[in-house]
Amino acid sequence: MFFRVRHQKMVHVYLLVLVILGILVVLGAMIAYHALLREQHFQIQVAVAKLASGDSNYQRFDSSASQYHQNSVMILEEQKPLVIYNRVPKTGSTSFVNVAYDLHSYNAFRVLHVNVTGNSHLLSIYDQFRFIDNTTRWMRPAFYHGHFAYIDFERYGYKKPYYVQLLRKPLDRLVSYYYFLRYGDDYRPHLVRKKHMDSSTTFDECVERGGSDCQANLLWLQIPFLCGQSADCWIPGSEWALRQAKRNVLEKYTLVGVTEQMGEYLQMLELVIPGGMFRNASEHFKHSSKSHLRKTAKKYPVSRKTIQKFHESTVWQMENELYAFVAREFAFAYAKQFPNISSGHSGTMKKHLKISAIPPPSFRYEKIYPKPSNQQKKKKNTARV
């Protein structure tokens, strides 16, 4: 009797162990299944990108409608940059982007517009992750552009892309936007804007009446765009946001320029973005019609009284501080790169510089160890011959 009871208990224990093992096996299978589905999803995305671009190791972009069709080039995998332009509205961004659209076939890269739902400049945390994951896995080289605040790739464990940006004098940007909503521009001249019925009110009159779309707080846009997706970035007058925006200019962005010097800005991009993505961009900009795209159809000059009122506001002072900071940094970088050319703020280039005209590097390599072998020296001499 004792052995029979003991045997039954052992059977129950074995059955319980088998049930637990079965549950673990099922859970493991489910986890592996979902992981496989996710991996297959990514593989499909990559496959679509490869089919769209033509090959996995090389990408050739041909367009029979393009004047640059015969000049399409191949770019090696390591020379395929990911460039992101989170464009601030009314800073000349349409002119800049259309240069990229003109050159995409000639310089073999993709241009993609990021249309954020509801014209929001902010994305949820998961949407930030999805955007980062998509852009790093999809076709490259690529140039993404859209009206959204800076997204930190490194926060999610990804390598940071080549971020680029243009800023404009704060009050000039707001005044341009004010009249743009009323009169439109030469880019889509027949489109009726949402403030068209209020076109008789000038910016000065709006300020005098305390109108809702000419408030100083509306200047608060360039700082948060460079600051990022944090809540404090979007609080007008936040000192932390200004500091973070400056820090990102120095540490996160490859190059930030100013609208008034777009020609010089394109010259710099030709040098700092690898793979020749912006090859001949400054020359194309200089001789094409893209330099005046999206010019507001009608604007009235702003009175000194209005200017003084804005200059007294904290928000203008902070936005102008960021603009002045960026202008100094860009002028400094440009002067170091092209020491024999004065830049200025005219927005026009003194001279188009070809790569062959760039000064030689101001550094050299020496005391190289281990020293090259005789065979390597012979190869080097042969290559020179």
Side-chain angles (χ1 to χ4, degrees):
M1 183 69 179
F2 172 76
F3 289 106
R4 183 182 300 172
V5 172
R6 184 177 180 184
H7 177 71
Q8 289 177 346
K9 289 183 176 179
M10 292 296 294
V11 170
H12 291 160
V13 171
Y14 288 143
L15 288 174
L16 181 62
V17 171
L18 289 174
V19 169
I20 293 173
L21 288 175
I23 293 173
L24 291 175
V25 169
V26 172
L27 288 174
M30 290 176 64
I31 293 172
Y33 176 71
H34 284 291
L36 180 61
L37 282 180
R38 181 176 175 81
E39 181 61 29
Q40 288 178 342
H41 175 68
F42 287 138
Q43 288 177 357
I44 290 172
Q45 290 180 333
V46 173
V48 170
K50 289 177 180 178
L51 288 173
S53 59
D55 200 346
S56 59
N57 296 320
Y58 298 97
Q59 291 184 354
R60 180 182 294 273
F61 301 89
D62 294 317
S63 174
S64 58
S66 172
Q67 61 177 319
Y68 301 125
H69 171 66
Q70 295 180 349
N71 295 317
S72 297
V73 296
M74 288 185 179
I75 302 179
L76 296 176
E77 190 67 36
E78 61 271 16
Q79 294 178 312
K80 296 178 180 178
L82 169 61
V83 180
I84 296 181
Y85 174 37
N86 61 316
R87 49 194 286 192
V88 179
K90 303 309 295 178
T91 57
S93 59
T94 300
S95 297
F96 176 36
V97 164
N98 274 274
V99 171
Y101 276 112
D102 283 353
L103 296 179
H104 80 277
S105 180
Y106 177 65
N107 292 340
F109 65 93
R110 298 280 180 177
V111 184
L112 301 91
H113 177 229
V114 183
N115 189 345
V116 182
T117 304
N119 292 324
S120 173
H121 305 317
L122 299 173
L123 281 72
S124 68
I125 290 180
Y126 185 54
D127 277 351
Q128 291 178 51
F129 169 76
R130 284 196 286 198
F131 172 74
I132 294 170
D133 193 64
N134 292 158
T135 54
T136 52
R137 289 177 179 271
W138 288 354
M139 57 194 79
R140 294 167 66 175
F143 178 89
Y144 289 80
H145 66 96
H147 295 307
F148 54 90
Y150 169 78
I151 299 172
D152 190 355
F153 278 54
E154 294 174 305
R155 174 185 177 185
Y156 297 92
Y158 289 77
K159 181 181 177 181
K160 68 179 180 182
Y162 293 90
Y163 261 106
V164 298
Q165 187 61 275
L166 279 168
L167 298 188
R168 187 177 180 182
K169 292 179 180 178
L171 186 54
D172 289 354
R173 192 200 67 77
L174 180 59
V175 172
S176 179
Y177 186 65
Y178 177 88
Y179 285 113
F180 165 73
L181 293 179
R182 285 156 174 80
Y183 298 108
D185 54 28
D186 60 354
Y187 190 62
R188 288 189 288 180
H190 303 295
L191 181 64
V192 177
R193 303 293 171 178
K194 64 180 181 180
K195 292 285 185 177
H196 178 73
M197 300 301 294
D198 188 35
S199 59
S200 61
T201 304
T202 67
F203 188 80
D204 285 335
E205 292 170 342
C206 177
V207 173
E208 188 70 26
R209 299 172 185 175
S212 60
D213 55 346
C214 54
Q215 298 287 329
N217 279 358
L218 295 177
L219 294 170
W220 192 259
L221 194 64
Q222 298 187 132
I223 287 176
F225 258 67
L226 272 71
C227 177
Q229 301 281 332
S230 300
D232 282 0
C233 292
W234 294 85
I235 300 176
S238 169
E239 290 285 352
W240 178 86
L242 174 59
R243 291 194 299 271
Q244 186 63 35
K246 287 182 177 180
R247 189 177 301 116
N248 286 345
V249 168
L250 297 177
E251 299 176 2
K252 303 296 185 178
Y253 280 81
T254 303
L255 188 66
V256 182
V258 294
T259 305
E260 295 79 7
Q261 294 177 274
M262 192 179 295
E264 290 88 341
Y265 181 71
L266 289 169
Q267 281 184 342
M268 292 288 287
L269 284 180
E270 290 184 41
L271 302 178
V272 300
I273 302 299
M277 178 181 284
F278 286 93
R279 185 187 299 111
N280 296 326
S282 57
E283 183 71 4
H284 177 77
F285 176 77
K286 183 179 178 181
H287 296 291
S288 74
S289 59
K290 306 304 181 183
S291 59
H292 64 270
L293 269 179
R294 198 143 236 177
K295 184 177 181 181
T296 303
K298 185 188 294 186
K299 281 193 296 187
Y300 296 95
V302 181
S303 68
R304 291 186 179 181
K305 181 181 177 181
T306 299
I307 294 173
Q308 182 61 34
K309 185 173 182 177
F310 273 91
H311 285 190
E312 291 172 356
S313 70
T314 301
V315 170
W316 178 87
Q317 292 169 8
M318 297 177 71
E319 279 278 344
N320 191 64
E321 182 178 339
L322 176 65
Y323 172 84
F325 173 80
V326 166
R328 287 194 304 271
E329 286 294 323
F330 180 75
F332 179 78
Y334 189 86
K336 290 293 290 182
Q337 185 61 59
F338 305 114
N340 298 324
I341 296 182
S342 59
S343 177
H345 289 269
S346 62
T348 58
M349 294 169 286
K350 306 294 189 237
K351 178 183 177 183
H352 175 66
L353 295 175
K354 297 184 181 297
I355 297 299
S356 59
I358 297 174
S362 58
F363 63 91
R364 64 178 183 272
Y365 304 105
E366 59 185 22
K367 298 182 180 179
I368 302 171
Y369 287 87
K371 294 183 177 180
S373 64
N374 292 331
Q375 186 175 2
Q376 289 174 322
K377 289 181 179 178
K378 190 178 296 184
K379 287 183 179 179
K380 186 176 180 181
N381 292 332
T382 304
R384 285 180 177 176
V385 173

